[in-house]
């Protein structure tokens, strides 16, 4: 797939990447394209899910085909479909669910996080194929379409953006967003962005509560059209819903290495990394993206910056060059609330709906994402 690297092919180097999300897939693609060395990427799905665009699939059928990037189209036979379930650091082997092992000289853990559907499809359907996912989203669109009263639980980016997608497509629906925090999306955002987001939610006629935690979530039917469910908060408030959508509860995908790398975990289960994103105590194991403890906002662009750094450092290793340390990225946040509105924070400056729509809201980076892997985006 090309030889875009000035570093000769490394016969004795085999990079194994576990996890095919934004940063793991990008790293594998760059190694494959550069012909640096043998690379194997392991993931239980058959395609990378462009999760940034997944929420629009809840309301727009044609968008669904735009969020699945087939691994075989951009890393070819370097993709191994399977679920990693074990790690032997002494023998430098990862074990898959079917019992096969994959040996490495360098391991990159990019397993990321999982979250409730529809924010991410992989928690409910970890081995999902593209064909199955298309049907899953089609069925879910019907559930949402049939519900007059929609309650979303969680005021992070998923809850805010999905409330906007639903209200923009179905302006007559009653949409309520219940947020346990006193801020939306991230604690790193400025007061100006919070004020702008609240203004957008009000403009869209999206009802919201802050500082309210749902007390009966486990008693409710989630993601199904069930008329008249009553969502209760710990303070005693009640909201009637015809569909309840969970938008909170992100968990780290750390099961496969939890035992082998126990001494390298933070108290929250993330991997501790050094300035080169190497796992604490293991110079041949790296962690990138959501799974590491780098003190920056866990977003696509920060994870992909980490992937690019590790790729460049692999080239440096191959040529006996100097490694470059990771520098935490500047905080940026762009939050569309439907195609036509939203708010953002770029380099400390708050931006409004017109700019957010132009930057992200109109296509949710789908064309940019496909081209980043050398692919032509479906229209």
């Amino acid at each position: 797939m090309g030889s875009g690297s000035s570093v000769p092919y490394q016969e004795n180097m085999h990079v194994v990447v576990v996890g095919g999300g934004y940063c793991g897939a990008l790293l594998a693609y760059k190694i494959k394209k550069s012909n640096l060395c043998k690379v194997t990427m392991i993931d239980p799905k058959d395609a990378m899910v462009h999760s940034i665009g997944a929420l629009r699939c809840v309301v727009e059928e044609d968008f669904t085909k735009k969020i699945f990037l087939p691994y075989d189209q951009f890393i070819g036979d370097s993709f191994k479909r399977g679920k990693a379930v074990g790690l032997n650091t002494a023998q430098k082997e990862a074990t898959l669910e079917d019992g096969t092992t994959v040996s490495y000289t360098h391991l990159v853990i990019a397993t990321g996080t999982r979250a409730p559907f529809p924010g991410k499809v992989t928690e409910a359907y970890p081995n999902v194929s593209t064909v199955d996912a298309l049907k899953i989203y089609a069925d879910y669109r019907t559930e949402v379409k049939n519900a007059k009263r929609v309650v979303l639980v969680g005021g992070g980016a998923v809850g805010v953006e999905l409330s906007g997608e639903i209200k923009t497509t179905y302006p007559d629906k009653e949409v309520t967003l219940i947020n346990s925090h006193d801020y939306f999306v991230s604690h790193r955002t400025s007061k100006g962005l919070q004020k702008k987001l609240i203004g957008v939610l009000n403009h869209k006629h999206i009802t919201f509560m802050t500082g309210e935690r749902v007390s009966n979530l486990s008693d409710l039917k989630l993601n199904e059209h069930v008329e008249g469910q009553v969502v209760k908060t710990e303070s005693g408030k009640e909201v009637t819903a015809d569909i309840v959508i969970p938008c909170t509860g992100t968990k780290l995908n750390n099961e496969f290495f939890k035992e082998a790398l126990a001494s390298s975990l933070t108290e929250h289960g993330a991997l501790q990394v050094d300035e080169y994103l190497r796992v604490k105590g293991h110079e041949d194991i790296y962690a990138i993206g959501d799974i590491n403890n780098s003190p920056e906002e866990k977003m696509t662009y920060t994870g992909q910056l980490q992937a690019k750094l590790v790729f460049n450092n692999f080239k440096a290793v191959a040529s006996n060059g100097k490694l470059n340390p990771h520098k935490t990225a500047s905080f940026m946040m762009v939050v569309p609330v439907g195609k036509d509105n939203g708010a953002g924070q770029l380099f400390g400056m708050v931006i409004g709906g017109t700019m957010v729509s132009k930057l992200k809201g109109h296509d949710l980076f789908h064309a940019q994402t496909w081209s980043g892997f050398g692919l032509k985006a479906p229209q």
Side-chain angles (χ1 to χ4, degrees):
M1 294 180 69
S3 56
S5 171
S6 59
V7 180
Y9 183 79
Q10 302 297 298
E11 293 281 356
N12 298 321
M13 188 174 181
H14 181 198
V15 176
V16 171
V17 181
V18 180
Y22 288 106
C23 47
L26 180 64
L27 177 59
Y29 169 69
K30 291 182 80 67
I31 294 172
K32 180 78 170 180
K33 184 180 179 183
S34 69
N35 202 34
L36 174 65
C37 64
K38 181 180 179 181
V39 59
T40 302
M41 192 193 78
I42 301 167
D43 195 279
K45 308 181 302 300
D46 65 356
M48 193 195 96
V49 182
H50 174 42
S51 297
I52 293 172
L55 301 180
R56 188 153 295 165
C57 300
V58 172
V59 296
E60 190 175 306
E61 179 180 359
D62 287 346
F63 208 83
T64 313
K65 64 185 178 183
K66 300 176 182 180
I67 71 164
F68 298 102
L69 288 71
Y71 292 130
D72 60 4
Q73 289 188 20
F74 62 90
I75 55 173
D77 59 5
S78 290
F79 169 57
K80 186 171 183 65
R81 189 173 185 182
K83 180 182 179 182
V85 295
L87 175 63
N88 187 321
T89 59
Q91 296 184 15
K92 295 191 174 186
E93 286 182 344
T95 302
L96 305 190
E97 197 168 36
D98 64 4
T100 61
T101 58
V102 181
S103 299
Y104 63 85
T105 61
H106 299 76
L107 176 68
V108 181
I109 298 171
T111 47
T113 55
R114 60 187 183 275
F117 184 82
K120 288 190 176 181
V121 70
T122 49
E123 180 177 62
Y125 312 96
N127 306 317
V128 69
S129 68
T130 301
V131 172
D132 291 340
L134 293 174
K135 185 178 187 307
I136 290 165
Y137 277 106
D139 292 344
Y140 191 65
R141 277 192 297 276
T142 301
E143 299 290 322
V144 172
K145 185 178 181 179
N146 290 339
K148 181 181 177 182
R149 297 164 295 188
V150 180
V151 170
L152 302 99
V153 181
V158 172
V160 173
E161 292 186 24
L162 184 54
S163 69
E165 293 290 339
I166 293 172
K167 191 66 174 179
T168 301
T169 303
Y170 303 108
D172 293 333
K173 289 188 187 298
E174 297 175 15
V175 177
T176 302
L177 182 61
I178 303 177
N179 180 11
S180 62
H181 297 293
D182 59 0
Y183 58 84
F184 289 105
V185 183
S186 171
H187 68 276
R188 291 184 172 93
T189 56
S190 67
K191 290 182 180 179
L193 177 57
Q194 291 296 317
K195 183 178 179 181
K196 181 74 76 172
L197 273 177
I198 289 170
V200 172
L201 293 173
N202 284 327
H203 178 75
K204 288 277 187 180
H205 301 290
I206 296 169
T207 302
F208 60 88
M209 304 177 186
T210 56
E212 293 285 350
R213 189 175 297 275
V214 174
S215 61
N216 67 330
L217 195 64
S218 60
D219 299 328
L220 302 171
K221 286 277 189 181
L222 304 178
N223 286 326
E224 295 180 30
H225 174 222
V226 179
E227 291 195 10
Q229 292 196 90
V230 178
V231 181
K232 300 178 181 179
T233 72
E234 291 179 352
S235 72
K237 293 181 180 178
E238 296 185 354
V239 184
T240 303
D242 302 323
I243 189 168
V244 180
I245 303 176
C247 303
T248 187
T250 299
K251 299 174 184 176
L252 293 165
N253 292 321
N254 59 11
E255 290 78 10
F256 106 86
F257 59 80
K258 211 170 185 178
E259 183 177 337
L261 300 177
S263 63
S264 305
L265 296 177
T266 69
E267 61 179 320
H268 302 295
L271 285 165
Q272 299 179 64
V273 292
D274 66 13
E275 66 267 37
Y276 305 111
L277 303 178
R278 297 176 301 198
V279 172
K280 177 185 175 184
H282 300 270
E283 290 199 355
D284 55 353
I285 303 178
Y286 296 72
I288 57 177
D290 291 357
I291 201 66
N292 71 27
N293 71 330
S294 179
E296 57 196 326
E297 194 76 13
K298 297 300 185 181
M299 300 175 66
T300 298
Y301 91 95
T302 57
Q304 291 199 323
L305 286 175
Q306 293 181 18
K308 292 173 183 177
L309 176 83
V310 170
F311 169 66
N312 287 329
N313 280 343
F314 280 155
K315 290 197 295 182
V317 167
S319 58
N320 296 314
K322 184 180 178 181
L323 299 182
N324 288 315
H326 172 59
K327 297 177 182 177
T328 55
S330 300
F331 179 80
M332 293 189 289
M333 180 74 68
V334 181
V335 187
V337 185
K339 289 182 180 181
D340 58 350
N341 214 328
Q345 184 176 326
L346 301 177
F347 308 109
M349 182 175 65
V350 175
I351 61 173
T354 301
M355 183 63 74
V356 169
S357 178
K358 185 176 180 180
L359 286 174
K360 180 180 177 181
H362 72 292
D363 79 338
L364 299 176
F365 298 145
H366 93 270
Q368 177 181 327
T369 300
W370 282 75
S371 65
F373 291 97
L375 301 175
K376 184 177 180 181
Q379 298 303 311

